[in-house]
Every structure is written in C-alpha cells, then in structure tokens.
Amino acid sequence: IYATSFWRQFALLFARSWRHARRCPVSSRAALSRSITMGLLVGFLYYDVDTTQVSVQDRTGALYFVLTTQIFSAQASLRVFLEERDLFLREHIAGAYSTGAYYWAKSLADTPLQLFNALLFSLLGYFLVGLQGSAYHLVTYCMTIVITTLAAESYVVFVGAAAPDDKVAAVLGPVAFALMSLLGGFFLNLESLPVWFSWLQHLSLFRYSFAAVMQNEFVGLRFSCTQDDTAKWLDTLDEATRDHVMEFVHLLPCPTPDGETHLKRLKADALPVWHNILYLVALMAFFRLLGYYSLHQRAKRLLPAGQCSAQDSVPVANEQREKDT
C-alpha cells in the first residue's frame, strides 16, 4: 500500500517532528526553565533534611511534591496530536504514511527532552533535600521518576489522540490526574473505597510511583527522638490524659522510630519497590497502546469503505528525496 517500509516512514516522520520542535524553541526553553525553577523550589523548601521526627514529614512531602509536579507537567504533551490532526488525516488519506508510523514517531519525538527535564528537576531536588545518597537509592529514584514521567505522558498522549477537540482534552487531563492523586493512598485510605469504585486505584500513577519512591527512601532509615518531640506530642493531648501518661512518658517509643513504621502507617509497603515500577511500566504501555488504537480508529472512520489509502503517489520518502536534491 505504501511506497516505503514502516521503519522508513517512522524515521522520516520522527526527523520532521524533531526539526519542528527545534524550530519552536520557546516551549523547550519554558519546559527547561520550569524544571530548574521547580527543582530549586523543592530543594530550598526541604533543604538538607536530617533524621529527626520532623524530617519524616519533610521527606514525605518532598517526594510527593516531586511526583505531583512531574505528573502534572506532562500536560504539555496534550496538544501533540490535537495541533496536527487535520494535517495527519489529510496526508494519511492521501497514502503518505501509515497511522502507526505517524503515531509512534510523533509521540516519541518529544521523549528525549521530557526525560532530560525530568532528570534535571528530580536530581536538583534530590541533592538539595539530602535524600539517601547511595548509588542504589539514586538510580532507583531516577528510574522511578523517569518511568512515572513517561507513564503520565502516555496518558496525556492517549487523551490527545482520543478527545474530539482541545476543549474536551483540556478537561480530561487535569481531572484524571486529580483523581489519580486522590487514589494514590496519601490522602485517602484505599481500603475504605466502595467495591464499585475501588478498581480505579489500579490506574493511579500516584499509587505506584509514591509507594516506589517512599520505599526507596524510607526502608532502612532510623529516626531519633528528642525532648522537644516528646513535648510536642504531649501538647496534642488533653490535660487529663497528659497527667496520666507523664510518669510513663520515658517508657514510650518514638512516634516514628524507623522508616518501616512510617511505610506501614501510610500503607505504602503492600508491594516491593520493583513491583511498583513494573506496574508503572505496564500502565505506560497500556496508555500508549490505547492512544494508538484511538488514533487508528479515528483515521479508519474517515477512509472510504474497503480503502486503505487514496493513492500512493505522495509518500514521505519521495518528499524527502525532493528536498535532498
């Protein structure tokens, strides 16, 4: 049907998308500036945490802030297919290239820049906050952030390919991410969800990414208690209860003696860290394939019955050869 192979079409379309991104550097510079600004912000807000009881909340807040920023920043990919939908349909119907070649080339063209910005943002925050500094913890953290970024971008690409217009897409993206955040296990006890609603938690990027970075950071950590920590805890009690426990206060353990206690309290220890990462990979693949199916069905509906393409006279390869000559 097509004058060139799938891989030739993919290579030419990828190069075209890459050149287009280079000719419009404003969005790239904005994304880079956002990554640096937000990385410095989270780093200075939670700068150089220690191992006291206060640092338990600080470490948790820093990790959730990083994940929230990265997932919501994927909204920048929402218009990947919306802006060129008419151009794609016209060229596809004309027989220039297949849906698969266009989809995978276009959806992957921005990936290198997305990964660079994700790593820059996450590493700035990681070293400024002072999270666990071993090579294993750093690599696991970076891998989780990268895969989370790709999974979030995959969902946004799916919305852009499936939504009928930009107005619907602009609603579906943030609403879904907000719901994923709610079902991440940080704000809501997932065991209390109704049966008919609980299945949505398995589509939450926050659930698996948050559990992965929390386990990577907190497993093996030990936290100290000071007299100030005990005094703050006593201040939260009513006067009668405080009078009863005063004589036994020296026997009470720390509120959070180690990282494992904190993970159990948040129920973030249900799956091992690498299982959570594999779930994120599965969600990334699931959303990418849904996006391809949505775009394929849209293009298929516009073709005449029994016709795969209108003509083969305008392949991308010929267009490229004309430019080369």
Side-chain angles (χ1 to χ4, degrees):
I1 297 175
Y2 300 101
T4 57
S5 67
F6 170 87
W7 294 111
R8 178 63 173 166
Q9 296 172 39
F10 173 85
L12 292 172
L13 289 167
F14 186 92
R16 185 175 76 173
S17 299
W18 184 258
R19 286 197 303 270
H20 176 73
R22 292 180 59 186
R23 290 170 183 170
C24 303
V26 176
S27 59
S28 301
R29 292 173 182 172
L32 179 62
S33 300
R34 180 198 62 214
S35 298
I36 295 175
T37 302
M38 298 305 292
L40 293 175
L41 178 62
V42 67
F44 290 131
L45 283 176
Y46 301 97
Y47 181 71
D48 197 20
V49 294
D50 49 27
T51 55
T52 62
Q53 295 297 297
V54 176
S55 72
V56 177
Q57 182 179 4
D58 288 345
R59 291 172 189 268
T60 304
L63 291 174
Y64 202 85
F65 184 87
V66 168
L67 291 175
T68 302
T69 302
Q70 272 309 112
I71 290 176
F72 276 91
S73 66
Q75 286 290 114
S77 302
L78 187 61
R79 303 187 65 86
V80 166
F81 293 106
L82 292 173
E83 292 179 344
E84 295 186 1
R85 179 174 291 176
D86 293 339
L87 174 65
F88 156 69
L89 292 174
R90 184 169 61 251
E91 293 180 341
H92 174 67
I93 293 174
Y97 45 74
S98 67
T99 304
Y102 174 78
Y103 174 80
W104 295 110
K106 186 66 178 176
S107 64
L108 296 178
D110 292 334
T111 298
L113 181 61
Q114 292 281 351
L115 294 184
F116 175 79
N117 289 332
L119 285 174
L120 177 63
F121 164 69
S122 56
L123 288 175
L124 278 174
Y126 191 91
F127 290 113
L128 287 173
V129 174
L131 302 176
Q132 292 208 55
S134 71
Y136 171 81
H137 288 93
L138 179 60
V139 170
T140 305
Y141 168 83
C142 289
M143 184 178 298
T144 304
I145 296 299
V146 165
I147 295 175
T148 300
T149 302
L150 291 177
E153 185 182 1
S154 297
Y155 172 77
V156 171
V157 166
F158 157 61
V159 171
D165 53 55
D166 55 347
K167 294 180 180 179
V168 175
V171 172
L172 290 178
V175 168
F177 282 149
L179 184 60
M180 289 181 186
S181 177
L182 182 63
L183 297 176
F186 187 67
F187 299 109
L188 179 68
N189 187 343
L190 299 179
E191 296 178 357
S192 64
L193 290 173
V195 176
W196 56 269
F197 193 75
S198 61
W199 63 272
L200 286 174
Q201 65 180 286
H202 301 297
L203 297 177
S204 173
L205 303 178
F206 283 91
R207 178 188 177 187
Y208 302 109
S209 58
F210 182 61
V213 294
M214 286 290 288
Q215 289 182 35
N216 180 61
E217 176 61 23
F218 279 90
V219 170
L221 274 181
R222 297 293 179 267
F223 297 99
S224 60
C225 276
T226 64
Q227 292 183 350
D228 290 338
D229 295 323
T230 303
K232 290 178 181 178
W233 176 74
L234 288 174
D235 289 340
T236 63
L237 305 177
D238 59 84
E239 186 175 352
T241 304
R242 185 163 54 246
D243 292 339
H244 283 297
V245 302
M246 281 298 295
E247 58 181 309
F248 305 106
V249 70
H250 64 285
L251 300 175
L252 295 176
C254 284
T256 307
D258 51 47
E260 288 80 357
T261 300
H262 187 54
L263 292 174
K264 290 179 180 178
R265 187 177 297 143
L266 294 178
K267 301 186 184 300
D269 59 344
L271 294 172
V273 58
W274 290 105
H275 287 200
N276 288 300
I277 293 176
L278 288 177
Y279 268 104
L280 289 172
V281 172
L283 286 175
M284 175 183 65
F286 174 69
F287 288 132
R288 288 281 178 179
L289 291 175
L290 274 183
Y292 168 71
Y293 177 78
S294 300
L295 192 65
H296 176 73
Q297 290 299 109
R298 179 179 296 277
K300 187 177 179 181
R301 287 195 300 269
L302 294 178
L303 289 175
Q307 183 178 346
C308 294
S309 63
Q311 57 182 2
D312 297 328
S313 59
V314 287
V316 177
N318 290 346
E319 179 181 314
Q320 184 66 25
R321 277 198 294 271
E322 291 176 3
K323 292 181 179 179
D324 293 342
T325 56

